[in-house]
């Protein structure tokens, strides 16, 4: 009979002790959600800075392409989308086609599957520069079907400096041996087309009047997805919901333990 008080005390203590682990798990999840939301806010600030930087660069007066001595120090933060100019002669015999899809939101009537025409620009005062001359639809991939656009003689190209595209799970790997290119890789293209000493970047040519209309230049995509605020609010909302659910759970368990 003397053990009854101890049993009653144990019944009271047991529910409280059983709440420790759920509380710890909920706290850990809460901290993770808050961290994710804060990280998205940091990404938002970074994206807004990027957009402002790109907007300023694409409307700035063009400058000379960086000298070879500066190439090892080029960065996306300092140089991507810089407006540049360069003079030289196109080597159409070594052009490369990079597969792409011109979306419905693109300007002009030419859309759908096709290729970006990347052509070495040979210079008298420096190493070659690869120029993205623009888009051609799949049925015009053969240069013979757009011979008027294979301009000859020295030209001046004005465009945006673009560093190599980063690899992605959603884009197939380039296959130079079979002539298959799916992302812009200046070093890989230069090696495949035997263009020694080419710059480690590509110049996306601005829109201009190409004889025959192809390649269709000026198609650099400058729209960057920016949903970081939406994602941040989602993570913070989940954190708030977790607090509410956890509080209700703990309250219910304590009431149940106390009434027992």
């Amino acid at each position: 009979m003397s053990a009854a008080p101890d049993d009653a005390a144990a019944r009271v203590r047991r529910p409280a002790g059983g709440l420790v682990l759920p509380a710890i798990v909920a706290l850990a999840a809460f901290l993770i959600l808050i961290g994710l939301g804060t990280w998205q806010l940091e990404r938002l600030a970074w994206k807004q800075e990027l957009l402002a930087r790109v907007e300023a660069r694409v409307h700035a007066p063009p400058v000379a392409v960086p000298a070879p001595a500066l190439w090892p120090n080029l960065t996306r933060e300092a140089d991507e989308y810089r407006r540049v100019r360069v003079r030289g002669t196109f080597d159409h015999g070594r052009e490369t086609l990079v597969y792409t899809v011109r979306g419905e939101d693109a300007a002009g009537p030419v859309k759908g599957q096709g290729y970006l025409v990347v052509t070495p620009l040979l210079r008298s005062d420096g190493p070659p520069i690869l120029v993205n001359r623009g888009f051609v639809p799949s049925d015009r991939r053969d240069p013979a079907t757009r011979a008027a656009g294979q301009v000859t003689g020295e030209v001046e190209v004005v465009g945006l400096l673009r560093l190599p595209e980063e690899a992605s799970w959603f884009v197939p790997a380039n296959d130079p041996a079979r002539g298959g290119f799916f992302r812009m890789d200046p070093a890989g293209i230069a090696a495949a087309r035997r263009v020694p000493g080419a710059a480690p970047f590509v110049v996306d040519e601005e829109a201009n009047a190409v004889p025959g209309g192809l390649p269709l230049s000026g198609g650099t995509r400058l729209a960057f997805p920016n949903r970081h605020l939406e994602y941040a609010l989602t993570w913070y909302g989940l954190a708030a919901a977790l607090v509410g659910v956890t509080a209700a759970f703990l309250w219910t368990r304590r009431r149940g333990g106390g009434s027992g």
Side-chain angles (χ1 to χ4, degrees):
M1 297 296 294
S2 60
D6 293 336
D7 292 342
R11 286 197 300 271
V12 172
R13 289 195 300 267
R14 193 176 299 119
L19 299 180
V20 173
L21 181 59
I24 293 175
V25 172
L27 177 61
F30 174 78
L31 294 176
I32 291 173
L33 293 171
I34 291 296
L36 289 170
T38 302
W39 176 67
Q40 286 295 338
L41 287 181
E42 293 171 352
R43 294 284 294 175
L44 173 63
W46 168 82
K47 182 62 67 66
Q48 290 174 333
E49 180 183 352
L50 170 65
L51 294 173
R53 186 166 63 239
V54 169
E55 182 69 16
R57 288 177 183 173
V58 300
H59 293 104
V63 299
V65 293
L70 302 177
W71 291 354
N73 300 319
L74 297 177
T75 64
R76 298 190 188 280
E77 291 74 15
D79 302 288
E80 187 88 73
Y81 298 102
R82 189 174 298 282
R83 195 164 176 245
V84 298
R85 65 156 46 97
V86 60
R87 295 190 68 86
T89 304
F90 284 124
D91 184 355
H92 298 293
R94 289 188 283 181
E95 76 174 25
T96 298
L97 300 177
V98 179
Y99 177 81
T100 190
V101 177
R102 188 171 171 83
E104 291 300 320
D105 59 339
V110 183
K111 306 180 190 301
Q113 299 185 56
Y115 301 89
L116 298 175
V117 179
V118 181
T119 307
L121 186 74
L122 307 183
R123 302 188 294 160
S124 60
D125 59 350
I129 303 290
L130 296 179
V131 175
N132 171 15
R133 300 189 61 214
F135 178 84
V136 295
S138 297
D139 61 353
R140 305 290 294 277
R141 62 177 295 170
D142 186 347
T145 65
R146 44 184 168 84
Q150 305 295 81
V151 294
T152 60
E154 188 176 56
V155 298
E156 180 177 79
V157 174
V158 176
L160 303 180
L161 187 151
R162 301 295 308 279
L163 294 172
E165 286 185 285
E166 298 178 342
S168 168
W169 289 102
F170 305 103
V171 178
N174 289 340
D175 187 0
R178 298 184 179 182
F181 287 88
F182 303 92
R183 67 180 180 88
M184 203 64 74
D185 174 20
I189 292 173
R193 294 294 178 262
R194 295 180 173 83
V195 187
F201 54 83
V202 173
V203 174
D204 282 0
E205 188 172 10
E206 290 184 355
N208 63 359
V210 177
L214 292 175
L216 186 62
S217 55
T220 303
R221 186 174 179 82
L222 296 173
F224 304 96
N226 187 11
R227 302 180 63 186
H228 298 295
L229 179 59
E230 176 185 337
Y231 295 152
L233 294 176
T234 298
W235 290 123
Y236 287 145
L238 290 174
L242 176 64
V243 169
V245 170
T246 302
F249 170 77
L250 295 177
W251 174 253
T252 301
R253 289 290 301 273
R254 286 190 64 85
R255 288 193 63 188
S259 63

